[in-house]
Amino acid sequence: PLGQGVANAVGVAVAEANLAARFNKPDAPKIVDHYTYCIAGDGCMMEGLSNEASSLAGHWGLGKLILFYDDNKISIDGRQQ
């Protein structure tokens, strides 16, 4: 469903930040050090869930979450001309 992928990606980024804070030590190589990627289209960004999840990610400072926005100008299901 539209918007839920964005919220899912925020959840994965939260988990990564939590694991990094718990297991990465200043005097050792990083154990948890990766990025979370998400691809979202027009319809996804029109849903309130994706806006709320994005706002939460910004508020929590999830700097390793990357969202690619696909502006394909199609936000409905079905044939386009």
Side-chain angles (χ1 to χ4, degrees):
L2 294 175
Q4 290 186 12
V6 175
N8 223 0
V10 170
V12 171
V14 167
E16 187 271 337
N18 186 24
L19 288 171
R22 182 171 182 171
F23 294 111
N24 290 349
K25 305 296 180 201
D27 56 342
K30 291 183 178 179
I31 296 171
V32 180
D33 186 23
H34 64 271
Y35 289 85
T36 302
Y37 296 91
C38 178
I39 301 173
D42 300 7
C44 294
M45 299 311 289
M46 289 180 186
E47 297 295 323
L49 177 65
S50 59
N51 293 313
E52 293 165 3
S54 299
S55 177
L56 190 62
H59 179 72
W60 282 345
L62 299 177
K64 291 190 162 194
L65 173 62
I66 299 172
L67 189 133
F68 292 102
Y69 174 59
D70 178 22
D71 185 12
N72 57 10
K73 301 191 181 12
I74 298 174
S75 61
I76 60 172
D77 207 6
R79 190 168 166 237
Q80 297 295 312
Q81 306 231 355

